[in-house]
Amino acid sequence: MQGTPPVKDEKLTTRQLRHQPRLIVNTGDGKGKSTAAFGMALRGWNQGWSIGVYQFVKSPNWRTGEKAAFAALNEVHEQTGQGGPVEWHAMGAGWTWLRSTKEVDHVAMSKEGWARISEQLANETHDLYVLDEFSYVLANGWLDVDEVLETLRNRPGTQHVVMTGRRMPQQVLDAADLVTEMTKIKHPFDTGAKGQAGIEW
Ligand code: ATP
Ligand code: MG
């Protein structure tokens, strides 16, 4: 399966041609997959887009830098109308909207997360969804790849979805419109250096 075919309808306005839904993948072993996704979310925020971030990571405390920055941008939006709203969730030991945070079953948590995202896609809740480290959920079989792709294929409107993570399954790469593979040339971690504030989180 290929990505979305180019739009040929000549009756579409320039604005419509500039607002086609994109399924975007940042994968590979090099650094920059998540930072590129959040950079895109910054651009989207400036467009006034509603943004939903779902981090499929173990620790909800990771990447507090971006989380804090987007929380501030959400407040700017609420107070001044500039930019768009930002909703941010990390899976951690349990999604933030669930009452129990004791749940550690990755399969159950992945399903809960995807159920919410599917509902939001059906309702066109956001203009951009960042599914950070989503590749691991798919590669580990916590969610069925075909079911996920079917939901994405049927999403209404012009909602963009960005997924990050190494080992993205081939079916996702085939279905995506835009795929970038980050290639590591070198990384300070190779020589045992510690992660750097501002560079890593
Ligand atoms: P970033 O969040 O910095 O954009 P990433 O999303 O591309 O990185 P992940 O696989 O999510 O990379 O890795 C998370 C952490 O591992 C980050 O702190 C990142 O700096 C670091 N990292 C990324 N690529 C490499 C690599 N090739 N070798 C060692 N560490 C890496
Ligand atoms: Mg990442």
Side-chain angles (χ1 to χ4, degrees):
M1 183 181 43
Q2 298 300 312
T4 314
V7 179
K8 292 213 181 84
D9 190 341
E10 286 160 13
K11 287 181 192 126
L12 289 181
T13 64
T14 303
R15 189 186 149 72
Q16 286 169 322
L17 290 167
R18 292 270 189 215
H19 292 79
Q20 296 299 310
R22 294 288 183 247
L23 177 56
I24 300 164
V25 171
N26 297 342
T27 190
D29 290 331
K31 176 177 164 65
K33 300 175 287 294
S34 297
T35 42
F38 294 127
M40 198 171 277
L42 281 179
R43 290 179 173 172
W45 181 85
N46 188 56
Q47 292 286 334
W49 287 359
S50 178
I51 292 163
V53 178
Y54 289 84
Q55 292 196 291
F56 288 79
V57 292
K58 241 182 180 176
S59 166
N61 299 322
W62 281 357
R63 306 188 200 296
T64 49
E66 299 95 294
K67 185 177 176 185
F70 277 101
L73 288 175
N74 182 56
E75 274 189 29
V76 168
H77 174 69
E78 281 176 0
Q79 283 162 18
T80 70
Q82 189 186 352
V86 185
E87 176 187 10
W88 188 295
H89 302 289
M91 186 161 77
W95 293 103
T96 30
W97 66 85
L98 296 174
R99 271 199 204 137
S100 163
T101 53
K102 285 180 191 150
E103 181 66 73
V104 288
D105 181 337
H106 284 147
V107 176
M109 281 300 100
S110 302
K111 288 196 165 131
E112 286 282 1
W114 183 248
R116 185 183 168 101
I117 293 161
S118 304
E119 200 182 308
Q120 292 194 332
L121 286 168
N123 293 331
E124 296 188 56
T125 304
H126 297 300
D127 299 290
L128 173 69
Y129 300 77
V130 177
L131 310 186
D132 193 31
E133 317 301 344
F134 197 54
S135 61
Y136 305 104
V137 170
L138 299 175
N140 291 335
W142 298 341
L143 290 177
D144 184 85
V145 178
D146 292 326
E147 277 177 33
V148 165
L149 290 178
E150 179 71 10
T151 301
L152 288 170
R153 221 183 346 262
N154 295 326
R155 74 191 188 280
T158 57
Q159 303 173 94
H160 304 295
V161 179
V162 186
M163 297 177 181
T164 80
R166 303 170 193 211
R167 296 192 291 128
M168 191 65 82
Q170 186 62 45
Q171 301 106 289
V172 181
L173 305 184
D174 291 343
D177 302 294
L178 169 54
V179 179
T180 300
E181 181 168 37
M182 270 69 178
T183 307
K184 187 189 79 165
I185 306 295
K186 58 165 96 162
H187 195 296
F189 285 8
D190 293 345
T191 56
K194 283 201 183 305
Q196 298 296 299
I199 308 294
E200 255 79 50
W201 68 87

